[in-house]
Amino acid sequence: MEELNWWEKEKKKSLYNELKFMIPEILFLRGVFAENRKLWWVSFPFHFGLYMLLATLFLLFMGAVGMALGVRIASGSSACGSFLYYLTILTGFIGLTLGTIGGLGLLGRRLGDQELRKYSSLADYFNLILFSFFLISALLAWLFHDHAFDGARAYIYALLTIGGQPEGYSSPHTFLGQLAIVLASLLAAYIPLTHMSHMFMKYFIYHDVRWEDTPNLKGSRIEAAVLQNLGLKPNWAAPHIGADGKKTWVDLATSGSKESK
Amino acid sequence: MNPKVKPSDIAKPSQRLAHIEPGELPPLPPPYEDFNRVTLSALKEEKVAAIESSLDDTVVIAIPKPKNKEEEEKHLRAFLSGLRKLFEKENNWGFLQPLLLSMEHCARCQTCSEACPVFEMSGRQEIYRPTFRSEVVRRLYKKYIKPGGKLTSKLTGDIDLNWTTIARLAELAYRCTLCRRCASVCPIGVDNALIAHEIRKLFSQEMGIAPREIHEKGTLQHLRVGSTTGMNPVAARDSIDFIQEEMEEITGYKLEIPWDKEGAEVLLLHNAGEVLSWPENVGAFAIIFQAAGISWTLSSEELGYDVVNYGLWYDDVQLARVAVKHAEIAKKLKVKKMIIGECGHAHKALVVISDRVLTGNLNIPRESGFVLLDEIVSSGKLKFDPSRNNFPVTLHDPCNVVRAMGIVEPQRRILRKIAPKFREMTPHGVDNYCCGGGSGFAIMSGFNFPEWRALVSSRKKFLQILDAFKDEPQDVPKYVCAPCSNCKGSIRDILEYYHAKERSRIHYGGLVELIVNAMADMKKPMIKFDEGAL
């Protein structure tokens, strides 16, 4: 809209600019860093840790698929097997340590900072405690039983092969490992029901709301949607609106109100 | 200040939920230290006895207290009905998606609070925090609208619904200027200003409760008489004819203002407040358009000479009615496009929001006046002598133009060309601070609200203005360019309140006045400091 006759101009879109903004925003929480540094010190490790854990999950899945196809995922195996093996350890380690530090840090901030505490509900604390339980149990399971995530990979393998067990691996079935798996499953089911889904919803909020500026041009898809909505029948009750549940938005917008006559 | 106030306290009756003590507001620099202990005049007991005034130190809506329990219950039922309608597509299709996303995904991280000039400049009064009112609405929505909410409210955040809650919430919706600075810094994209806007809608569209200045004297008068100023078409033409004569006298330039010219390329729409309070702005636009050879016209039809749309601030139906009238006038005149003069909220109402209202033949292209002015100034059609503007100039960015529409550069390109001593405020552009008069505050004048505006909501802008001119000698005249009527009114009020004209020689005005002042063809200067309205 900074251009003369903007409606005649082609709408410029740039994937490069979008990525240039979104990658630092999603991975490093650029906005929180710039506007709320105090929170960033705990929010960044938490979120980055979770991204690393998602990456770890993906790598474990890839490893399990590889094993099902006969690829050995271990130190000193094929280049591909070794790469997956070490990369999983790296992302898993970073994810669990940063996630745990961040999760506990966020919980501490929410409890210790009056500005956050006043706006926090029991559900907010429960969410962070559930996350922290999972992260701590997974961290301890990694530390004491599963340094290379072989057990976690075997679990995914078992899911993929309906109970199968990778060749040469005997699952120790530790309490901490099982606890981490149960808590991770609970979280996966629970997150979409909470505001914590903002991690994923952010994409839609940015694209469909914050950046959505497609103009309503004649004959466009937007115009068709607007026309459809203008045909809806509101029932707002204030007298000046004049709605009766039968009049459409078009009727109301073109009628004026009784008070203004 | 009571730092312990929390969202659920809004339901607990008390004399006041927030109060500003002398010395609690952020300090002003010299020579304004004598204002540092100034606070709001107390509301007179007899004046507020029958109205709701328990939110803070001021009153905007003045809702009458219910006479009995039945009336109170009726209000509560209406409130809940309105709250439900905000979340229904047939009643709120325009804003439902961002509202739902803002309700569901706020992490309450308080990043927005640091960006809010009202919260910061109130000395961090808890109730002015952007998340405070949003959290109240969120809890009410979750408890009373969402299925099973009453059972889960202890977990998700409880709140009581009573007369005190809704009366305070109605007032609280009018302690936010809807500048949307909070939304621009939210890491998730939550829009707390939108929530304030939706509360206003609920009260207006369901309960018929809105400030008199924007409803009765605003949209209703606009639709009935033709202008929120009360000017009918005859008065508008007379006033502008008078402006035409005045302009010739001031600048020595022979001017012909075209009226109702069918087939003109441009329909210029002014905020009628300019006609009454800043007639030189209307005249300057006419001089520029005429000198540049633009094919343009004004409209003398009802609403055609007043582009304001107060519905933007509080009522979608009223907004749509005004927008449709504006579009019908343009259609009748067969113009190629509508140009919005120096009025920020009209930019947003007519260009952005109406984009989801106007269809078919009513969807006539609409453009910011800044863009056309930039084109004219850059084209070389006019000759300039920038030395005529050889005084410090700073630019106030109207929120609706920069943040809502991304129009940042055109007005700057103009100033760089015609104002050799142009200096930016910090921050500016899309990060600007509101003038403090946004969302109707500039025209709200009941009780002690103008004091609240000067002391709290406009304080950040005043500090920004002082900062922009901090290296200038005190006795040099300075110009705050405020290309928006509401902003200009608000800046006029703060300069008067703090005696900034006398103490720092700070003046204010629009953009077109500066353009005309620099036009080499003008026999006499348009801007004369220390004379007249400037």
Side-chain angles (χ1 to χ4, degrees):
Chain A
M1 284 182 227
E2 278 190 312
E3 289 180 288
L4 197 70
N5 299 336
W6 59 265
W7 53 92
E8 291 173 355
K9 309 279 160 55
E10 198 184 336
K11 200 165 167 257
K12 292 173 206 155
K13 275 193 173 178
S14 161
L15 181 65
Y16 168 73
N17 280 339
E18 184 183 336
L19 293 176
K20 202 169 83 176
F21 183 89
M22 282 311 264
I23 288 175
E25 178 59 43
I26 291 174
L27 285 185
F28 306 114
L29 307 189
R30 182 203 56 82
V32 183
F33 182 80
E35 309 289 345
N36 195 350
R37 190 72 53 88
K38 223 165 41 163
L39 188 69
W40 183 85
W41 290 109
V42 285
S43 190
F44 166 70
F46 180 70
H47 287 87
F48 195 77
L50 293 187
Y51 298 143
M52 286 290 111
L53 288 179
L54 285 175
T56 307
L57 186 65
F58 175 73
L59 291 170
L60 289 171
F61 177 79
M62 295 296 290
V65 171
M67 286 195 296
L69 296 172
V71 180
R72 206 171 137 248
I73 310 294
S75 172
S77 60
S78 64
C80 179
S82 294
F83 178 71
L84 268 182
Y85 177 80
Y86 284 115
L87 192 60
T88 308
I89 295 173
L90 182 70
T91 56
F93 168 72
I94 296 173
L96 287 174
T97 45
L98 283 185
T100 306
I101 292 167
L104 291 173
L106 279 174
L107 190 60
R109 276 295 310 276
R110 214 161 261 284
L111 285 164
D113 186 333
Q114 201 191 77
E115 291 193 350
L116 295 181
R117 199 168 60 227
K118 275 190 279 194
Y119 293 83
S120 302
S121 62
L122 282 176
D124 293 326
Y125 295 116
F126 175 78
N127 297 344
L128 283 171
I129 289 169
L130 185 61
F131 255 113
S132 299
F133 262 140
F134 157 67
L135 289 161
I136 291 168
S137 63
L139 185 67
L140 293 176
W142 169 79
L143 193 64
F144 293 117
H145 307 294
D146 196 16
H147 310 308
F149 296 98
D150 290 334
R153 193 179 298 108
Y155 174 73
I156 307 271
Y157 180 90
L159 287 180
L160 286 177
T161 55
I162 317 174
Q165 188 162 311
E167 216 178 286
Y169 178 79
S170 59
S171 171
H173 290 298
T174 63
F175 168 73
L176 284 170
Q178 287 172 330
L179 181 65
I181 287 168
V182 168
L183 290 172
S185 309
L186 274 177
L187 274 172
Y190 176 66
I191 288 174
L193 306 175
T194 73
H195 76 78
M196 290 185 295
S197 55
H198 66 242
M199 238 169 97
F200 308 103
M201 290 306 291
K202 190 167 175 167
Y203 177 87
F204 300 102
I205 297 174
Y206 272 65
H207 286 79
D208 293 351
V209 179
R210 189 178 260 194
W211 293 342
E212 169 50 40
D213 57 358
T214 312
N216 168 17
L217 300 176
K218 283 177 194 165
S220 66
R221 179 184 57 81
I222 299 275
E223 189 183 55
V226 171
L227 280 168
Q228 198 174 23
N229 288 330
L230 286 170
L232 294 171
K233 295 168 181 168
N235 58 356
W236 290 104
H240 72 274
I241 301 287
D244 56 8
K246 291 177 194 150
K247 288 182 190 147
T248 63
W249 278 90
V250 172
D251 298 331
L252 295 180
T254 53
S255 65
S257 72
K258 275 186 276 182
E259 284 91 336
S260 58
K261 283 175 185 159
Chain B
M1 182 174 67
N2 178 2
K4 289 185 180 155
V5 174
K6 50 190 189 302
S8 56
D9 293 339
I10 198 166
K12 294 173 187 161
S14 62
Q15 196 190 356
R16 265 176 307 198
L17 199 54
H19 169 61
I20 298 170
E21 293 284 350
E24 277 188 346
L25 300 176
L28 299 172
Y32 300 95
E33 307 100 311
D34 50 327
F35 285 95
N36 285 341
R37 291 197 60 79
V38 173
T39 190
L40 282 98
S41 311
L43 293 164
K44 292 197 173 85
E45 273 305 316
E46 65 276 15
K47 286 200 168 179
V48 295
I51 60 161
E52 177 52 44
S53 61
S54 72
L55 178 73
D56 55 4
D57 300 314
T58 189
V59 171
V60 167
I61 316 180
I63 312 170
K65 286 177 181 164
K67 293 182 190 77
N68 49 44
K69 198 73 191 159
E70 286 73 39
E71 203 174 303
E72 194 175 318
E73 290 294 327
K74 198 176 133 201
H75 280 310
L76 293 182
R77 280 195 301 276
F79 175 83
L80 278 179
S81 165
L83 186 61
R84 192 168 293 112
K85 287 174 189 174
L86 284 181
F87 295 93
E88 292 170 350
K89 190 179 177 190
E90 62 269 32
N91 282 305
N92 198 20
W93 55 272
F95 295 93
L96 182 57
Q97 184 192 38
L99 176 63
L100 275 172
L101 290 168
S102 294
M103 279 290 114
E104 299 292 351
H105 297 289
C106 176
R108 274 84 39 108
C109 68
Q110 308 302 347
T111 303
C112 54
S113 300
E114 303 309 316
C116 174
V118 173
F119 175 59
E120 183 193 353
M121 290 293 116
S122 69
R124 300 176 78 85
Q125 290 284 338
E126 196 61 35
I127 65 161
Y128 301 148
R129 191 186 279 280
T131 46
F132 186 92
R133 72 176 72 73
S134 299
E135 186 60 18
V136 169
V137 178
R138 189 174 289 112
R139 290 183 184 189
L140 291 169
Y141 161 67
K142 286 189 173 170
K143 183 172 179 180
Y144 295 98
I145 305 298
K146 287 192 92 173
K150 284 187 181 159
L151 287 174
T152 55
S153 63
K154 296 283 178 223
L155 280 175
T156 56
D158 203 3
I159 194 159
D160 289 331
L161 180 63
N162 53 33
W163 166 251
T164 307
T165 310
I166 64 167
R168 281 175 172 166
L169 188 60
E171 276 289 333
L172 191 54
Y174 290 92
R175 299 296 185 276
C176 162
T177 65
L178 308 185
C179 79
R180 300 182 69 236
R181 205 167 185 273
C182 56
S184 73
V185 301
C186 175
I188 295 167
V190 168
D191 191 341
N192 286 303
L194 173 83
I195 295 173
H197 174 256
E198 298 300 291
I199 304 169
R200 293 178 177 198
K201 274 166 51 182
L202 182 169
F203 280 98
S204 176
Q205 295 176 190
E206 187 69 9
M207 303 170 76
I209 293 172
R212 191 167 167 268
E213 294 91 339
I214 61 174
H215 186 57
E216 285 161 48
K217 297 194 78 175
T219 57
L220 290 180
Q221 178 168 240
H222 198 185
L223 291 161
R224 189 177 65 246
V225 180
S227 168
T228 55
T229 59
M231 263 193 305
N232 62 25
V234 176
R237 272 201 79 140
D238 283 351
S239 301
I240 295 180
D241 287 347
F242 177 70
I243 291 171
Q244 181 175 305
E245 289 167 24
E246 278 283 291
M247 281 299 111
E248 286 177 27
E249 204 168 295
I250 292 170
T251 62
Y253 186 83
K254 176 88 181 126
L255 188 61
E256 281 290 329
I257 295 182
W259 284 100
D260 304 317
K261 201 169 95 185
E262 211 175 286
E265 288 203 10
V266 164
L267 168 63
L268 176 63
L269 293 152
H270 284 296
N271 178 324
E274 301 282 354
V275 178
L276 295 181
S277 302
W278 301 285
E280 63 281 0
N281 184 275
V282 178
F285 257 108
I287 289 173
I288 295 165
F289 280 16
Q290 182 175 311
I294 302 288
S295 160
W296 72 290
T297 187
L298 293 180
S299 164
S300 67
E301 201 169 317
E302 283 175 8
L303 281 91
Y305 50 88
D306 193 355
V307 73
V308 306
N309 192 340
Y310 295 174
L312 177 77
W313 303 320
Y314 79 105
D315 192 306
D316 287 348
V317 177
Q318 294 295 85
L319 174 133
R321 284 171 173 155
V322 172
V324 166
K325 288 276 183 193
H326 284 143
E328 281 173 344
I329 290 163
K331 185 182 152 199
K332 200 167 143 192
L333 285 171
K334 300 188 180 76
V335 295
K336 291 212 172 71
K337 62 182 173 186
M338 301 155 87
I339 291 287
I340 294 114
E342 295 190 6
C343 179
H345 88 271
H347 269 74
K348 184 177 175 184
L350 198 51
V351 183
V352 181
I353 305 297
S354 299
D355 193 59
R356 297 299 190 259
V357 176
L358 302 172
T359 57
N361 292 336
L362 287 182
N363 193 359
I364 294 152
R366 303 169 299 278
E367 186 174 87
S368 165
F370 301 161
V371 176
L372 183 57
L373 289 169
D374 177 31
E375 168 72 14
I376 292 169
V377 170
S378 310
S379 68
K381 284 179 188 165
L382 309 181
K383 294 218 164 24
F384 292 106
D385 174 5
S387 68
R388 294 183 179 188
N389 283 336
N390 196 27
F391 42 82
V393 173
T394 192
L395 174 67
H396 163 70
D397 281 306
C399 303
N400 289 310
V401 174
V402 286
R403 204 155 26 247
M405 296 173 71
I407 299 175
V408 177
E409 272 304 304
Q411 56 273 42
R412 290 178 161 72
R413 273 195 293 270
I414 295 170
L415 285 176
R416 283 183 212 118
K417 186 149 184 176
I418 61 161
K421 293 189 175 174
F422 167 51
R423 56 262 293 114
E424 291 278 15
M425 291 190 195
T426 307
H428 57 264
V430 295
D431 298 322
N432 80 319
Y433 280 106
C434 175
C435 63
S439 80
F441 284 13
I443 54 166
M444 290 172 188
S445 55
F447 299 91
N448 59 357
F449 191 71
E451 280 181 46
W452 186 88
R453 193 173 63 229
L455 287 169
V456 179
S457 69
S458 289
R459 197 181 192 89
K460 192 75 184 181
K461 183 51 62 181
F462 185 53
L463 283 168
Q464 270 197 297
I465 293 170
L466 295 180
D467 183 62
F469 293 136
K470 68 176 185 296
D471 297 327
E472 304 298 337
Q474 186 275 332
D475 58 342
V476 169
K478 305 155 190 86
Y479 188 94
V480 181
C481 173
C484 161
S485 297
N486 279 316
C487 302
K488 210 152 54 182
S490 180
I491 287 170
R492 172 195 60 201
D493 291 351
I494 43 175
L495 296 183
E496 275 175 20
Y497 185 87
Y498 294 107
H499 311 298
K501 194 169 153 184
E502 295 77 17
R503 294 185 187 187
S504 308
R505 293 200 74 194
I506 300 175
H507 302 255
Y508 74 97
L511 178 64
V512 283
E513 293 91 318
L514 276 174
I515 297 175
V516 171
N517 201 51
M519 280 170 67
D521 292 349
M522 293 300 114
K523 293 186 184 101
K524 291 184 267 182
M526 185 168 213
I527 295 175
K528 293 167 186 159
F529 291 111
D530 305 323
E531 283 180 30
L534 270 178

